[in-house]
Amino acid sequence: MAIGDIIVGVDIGTTKIATVVGEVNNFEQIETICNTSYKCNGLKKGKIINEEEISLSLSKTIKDAEDETNLKINSAYVTIPGKYVTIVQNSITKDAKDKYAGISIRDVQNAIMQVKDIEIPENKTLIDIVPDKVILDNGTIVTDPVGSLSSKFTISAQIILADKEYVRQLNSIFKKAGLEIDGIVPTTLAERNLILDKNELHDNIAIIDVGAENTDIGVFEGEEFKYTNTIPLGGNNITHDIALV
């Protein structure tokens, strides 16, 4: 990311579509400059039941965001419920091309390209790679190995797979709204850096996001994204039960 870059995120919920526009500030942090939402009932129990309605609501939130920011939005990141996500842990050991010059950016890039080389089921598609740690040849664990004088290193990462049919529906919705998808991010992974402080980022944490009709769960063991899922119950169900009582 560079200073001044614009990042757009979209969340498709069971009662509304939310769009957030952020700008990378001088501290290389994403600063929110606009957020919009519009009601939508195209999602039911985590399933897309009406692409047209979702696309229309998405278009309206984007139009409101463009009017508020005076920007033209062509693409955005979008969240995906945990029920459509599979996490595969993988690691690879890579020799540094020049052990006397230290580990290079190219060495790390090549390792990341290789760590994603796993057998992917026919109904899944790769949406992200989340490296969590790098181990040097002396056993030292680092987050950024570039420049370290090590003849080899092991990179550990989570390979994030998503349901291919759900991704196809997301692409169809965005295409109808005249948008491209920059990336697809599991809901709780997107929330992790927003709601956890620096100390909690290294703890064993469960994030529970209660929506209107769904509850998303994400489990993190330190830097590792261990598990995510969606329970088809949310705030509306709780409110309804209280009303009955």
Side-chain angles (χ1 to χ4, degrees):
M1 297 186 300
I3 295 172
D5 280 356
I6 300 296
I7 310 293
V8 182
V10 171
D11 180 61
I12 301 174
T14 49
T15 60
K16 67 179 181 180
I17 307 293
T19 294
V20 177
V21 181
E23 182 177 4
V24 180
N25 61 24
N26 293 332
F27 301 100
E28 296 186 347
Q29 299 171 328
I30 300 176
E31 182 178 339
T32 300
I33 59 175
C34 169
N35 62 80
T36 60
S37 64
Y38 197 84
K39 63 182 180 179
C40 179
N41 295 308
L43 200 71
K44 190 71 174 177
K45 299 296 183 182
K47 294 182 178 180
I48 294 173
I49 60 173
N50 191 328
E51 290 186 15
E52 294 291 341
E53 181 175 352
I54 295 174
S55 180
L56 182 60
S57 296
L58 173 59
S59 296
K60 289 179 178 178
T61 66
I62 293 296
K63 178 65 167 56
D64 289 345
E66 288 178 335
D67 290 343
E68 188 172 332
T69 61
N70 291 319
L71 296 169
K72 175 60 179 174
I73 297 174
N74 298 309
S75 62
Y77 291 88
V78 62
T79 56
I80 183 171
K83 67 182 292 184
Y84 297 108
V85 174
T86 301
I87 303 170
V88 179
Q89 182 73 39
N90 195 26
S91 62
I92 186 172
T93 299
K94 181 80 174 172
D95 291 329
K97 188 173 181 179
D98 185 350
K99 64 181 180 180
Y100 299 107
I103 298 170
S104 67
I105 294 177
R106 178 63 62 86
D107 289 331
V108 176
Q109 290 174 337
N110 289 339
I112 291 175
M113 291 296 293
Q114 291 180 29
V115 79
K116 72 176 183 180
D117 187 16
I118 63 170
E119 186 174 343
I120 299 176
E122 190 173 326
N123 64 336
K124 302 290 183 182
T125 185
L126 175 69
I127 60 170
D128 202 0
I129 304 169
V130 184
D132 58 70
K133 62 183 176 182
V134 178
I135 306 173
L136 305 181
D137 58 4
N138 62 1
T140 302
I141 298 176
V142 297
T143 54
D144 183 5
V146 175
S148 298
L149 295 176
S150 181
S151 60
K152 61 183 178 179
F153 61 98
T154 300
I155 186 168
S156 174
Q158 287 84 54
I159 313 303
I160 312 297
L161 307 179
D163 182 87
K164 188 177 288 185
E165 174 59 20
Y166 192 88
V167 172
R168 184 201 66 76
Q169 289 181 295
L170 287 178
N171 280 304
S172 175
I173 289 166
F174 270 63
K175 186 176 181 180
K176 290 173 182 176
L179 298 167
E180 297 289 334
I181 294 179
D182 290 323
I184 301 173
V185 186
T187 300
T188 51
L189 182 60
E191 294 170 335
R192 179 174 180 263
N193 290 331
L194 294 175
I195 65 176
L196 301 183
D197 62 31
K198 290 184 179 180
N199 293 325
E200 291 172 329
L201 288 172
H202 303 288
D203 291 338
N204 300 337
I205 295 287
I207 295 175
I208 301 175
D209 179 8
V210 181
E213 294 183 5
N214 289 318
T215 297
D216 263 282
I217 299 171
V219 177
F220 299 86
E221 184 179 340
E223 297 292 332
E224 293 186 26
F225 188 24
K226 302 292 289 186
Y227 173 82
T228 185
N229 207 341
T230 305
I231 300 172
L233 293 170
N236 284 356
N237 306 97
I238 298 170
T239 301
H240 181 260
D241 290 347
I242 292 174
L244 288 177
V245 173

